[in-house]
Amino acid sequence: MSLDPAFLGRRDIATSEEMEQLGLRIGEQLEPGDLLILTGPLGAGKTTFTRGLAEGLGVRGPVQSPTFVIARTHPSLVGRAPLVHVDAYRLGSAAELDDLDLDLDRSVVVVEWGRGMAEDLADAWWDIEIERPVGAGDDDLDPAELDADAPRSVTITREERS
């Protein structure tokens, strides 16, 4: 696990550009075998964070939400680890995630919506929770506004299987 401990804890993110920059700085440090589990509501910034992470890793893009393909592999353009970007939202169980046969040892793996499913993929992982303001009117939000600049909070912890 290669991430600088200075990234641990909670931080406020004001814009999508800041979210992408956080991902970039983290991506610059990641190594093969690193697993990141991203949690947050729709429009929280999980894919925006992953776009920055991909840039920090130096992988081929574009990075888009893999919702309909479940997993995308982005090969390195600079001789580093590829990025495997997984969206577990449509998966029903950890067994379905395991069936994807992800190359965990040679890749950096990001699993959106992975909490409760992806923890058995590795002995240790980075848990990244992204929160955005929510309110009673969320059902009325225009989907185009979900990625709009709005304050977010990001909490990063290192977890280990016991």
Side-chain angles (χ1 to χ4, degrees):
M1 311 283 349
S2 54
L3 188 59
D4 182 338
F7 283 105
L8 295 175
R10 184 179 172 101
R11 64 183 34 80
D12 293 324
I13 303 292
T15 66
S16 57
E17 183 177 305
E18 281 184 37
M19 183 69 75
E20 217 168 299
Q21 284 299 309
L22 175 63
L24 183 145
R25 292 190 336 264
I26 289 173
E28 290 173 335
Q29 298 181 37
L30 296 175
E31 298 174 355
D34 283 337
L35 171 65
L36 294 87
I37 298 175
L38 303 184
T39 303
L42 186 64
K46 296 179 296 293
T47 300
T48 300
F49 172 87
T50 304
R51 253 186 234 114
L53 189 124
E55 185 178 342
L57 279 169
V59 300
R60 186 177 71 210
V63 171
Q64 301 168 326
S65 178
T67 299
F68 297 104
V69 296
I70 309 298
R72 281 194 174 101
T73 299
H74 299 274
S76 177
L77 297 172
V78 295
R80 296 189 62 209
L83 170 66
V84 177
H85 185 196
V86 180
D87 188 327
Y89 185 77
R90 295 184 183 276
L91 299 179
S93 68
E96 287 183 34
L97 182 60
D98 191 50
D99 285 346
L100 295 175
D101 198 26
L102 304 172
D103 187 357
L104 293 161
D105 294 333
R106 293 185 296 205
S107 304
V108 170
V109 177
V110 172
V111 183
E112 294 188 26
W113 305 95
R115 189 179 284 160
M117 263 197 261
E119 292 85 355
D120 287 336
L121 294 176
D123 292 333
W125 62 93
W126 302 105
D127 185 85
I128 301 174
E129 183 164 2
I130 304 172
E131 300 170 271
R132 68 169 174 81
V134 293
D138 268 7
D139 292 340
D140 299 327
L141 273 179
D142 178 345
E145 293 178 23
L146 288 173
D147 287 329
D149 281 341
R152 266 74 164 163
S153 295
V154 177
T155 304
I156 301 173
T157 57
R158 185 176 186 274
E159 304 292 333
E160 292 186 28
R161 200 167 11 156
S162 39

